[in-house]
Amino acid sequence: MTNSNSNNIGLMDKDKLLEIFDYLNERLKENLLQLEITIYGGSIMTMVYDNRPATKDIDCVFGNTNTKLLDNILAQTKFIFNLSEGWINEEIKEPLKAILREDKETYKVYSNLKILKPRAEQLLAMKILAARPEPAKDFVDAFLLCKDLGITTKNELLTIFNNYIPLTLIGERQINFIKYLGKDLGYDWE
């Protein structure tokens, strides 16, 4: 069987992400380890919102655990699932420093693995703060989150943002992002 999507090697769709989490749970169980992981970004959008066919990495923060043992389990997972370098991305820790408060909810619970995710409002605030240009998916994600949350005014959007991130962090990039977001949603957010 040949893979016609050879350029998609390392990409994880919803099914593959769930397989990976099942595998992680089994390795954790074998090692009598409990792990709590909070996932963000593309992996959330792929698993929860079904708007992305796949993600290249899992943006996450691990709870306190035996890091040597966890690193070994993650290396096994990378090998078994043929994942690319950087498939686990803890760089999200940096933008999380700007967050006034985390608003997490449980996404999935296994015997030895608990997966948390930020609520949609927090995820939206983080997407606006990031406001990265294409090929990043911040705009598409923010659009879908606004639709999902029923946001129709700039004021509603800024109130949600301010619940999680200080308004002082909104710069020109975020302002343009918000204006285009409103336009694409069919509203005038000038």
Side-chain angles (χ1 to χ4, degrees):
M1 189 171 116
T2 58
N3 183 357
S4 60
N5 283 343
S6 58
N7 62 339
N8 284 346
I9 287 180
L11 285 180
M12 296 170 277
D13 63 12
K14 184 177 184 172
D15 292 338
K16 189 167 187 177
L17 285 166
L18 291 171
E19 272 183 66
I20 289 168
F21 290 133
D22 283 335
Y23 179 84
L24 277 175
N25 183 62
E26 288 307 310
R27 299 298 76 77
L28 291 165
K29 196 189 309 184
E30 285 171 6
N31 289 282
L32 304 175
L33 207 58
Q34 291 286 330
L35 179 65
E36 185 174 281
I37 180 174
T38 305
I39 58 174
Y40 300 87
S43 45
I44 287 288
M45 298 309 289
T46 299
M47 292 192 331
V48 179
Y49 294 95
D50 288 325
N51 81 306
R52 282 203 197 172
T55 184
K56 65 179 172 39
D57 61 7
I58 299 174
D59 297 307
C60 64
V61 175
F62 294 105
N64 294 333
T65 190
N66 179 332
T67 51
K68 193 170 172 64
L69 202 48
L70 179 60
D71 286 346
N72 188 30
I73 291 169
L74 294 176
Q76 289 174 13
T77 307
K78 178 184 179 289
F79 179 83
I80 296 296
F81 289 94
N82 195 27
L83 301 170
S84 55
E85 282 301 320
W87 73 278
I88 284 285
N89 182 358
E90 291 186 88
E91 290 173 14
I92 192 74
K93 287 179 179 175
E94 196 53 41
L96 282 175
K97 291 177 183 173
I99 299 282
L100 297 169
R101 67 185 174 99
E102 282 252 55
D103 206 353
K104 301 178 194 177
E105 56 193 16
T106 301
Y107 172 69
K108 196 163 175 58
V109 179
Y110 297 84
S111 61
N112 292 60
L113 175 65
K114 183 176 185 179
I115 301 173
L116 304 174
K117 69 174 197 66
R119 291 190 56 217
E121 293 86 352
Q122 179 184 333
L123 198 54
L124 177 58
M126 292 171 73
K127 290 291 179 183
I128 290 166
L129 179 64
R132 296 168 295 190
E134 292 293 331
K137 303 284 189 236
D138 294 333
F139 192 83
V140 172
D141 293 346
F143 178 88
L144 283 154
L145 289 163
C146 281
K147 285 278 205 198
D148 189 57
L149 294 166
I151 295 170
T152 59
T153 68
K154 180 176 73 173
N155 207 28
E156 289 172 311
L157 184 71
L158 291 175
T159 299
I160 286 174
F161 184 89
N162 196 34
N163 285 336
Y164 297 97
I165 301 170
L167 288 174
T168 53
L169 293 181
I170 292 182
E172 190 176 334
R173 192 176 83 235
Q174 288 81 10
I175 289 170
N176 287 332
F177 185 91
I178 291 167
K179 285 179 181 178
Y180 284 118
L181 184 58
K183 187 176 178 190
D184 271 27
L185 287 164
Y187 308 111
D188 181 8
W189 288 355
E190 288 298 321

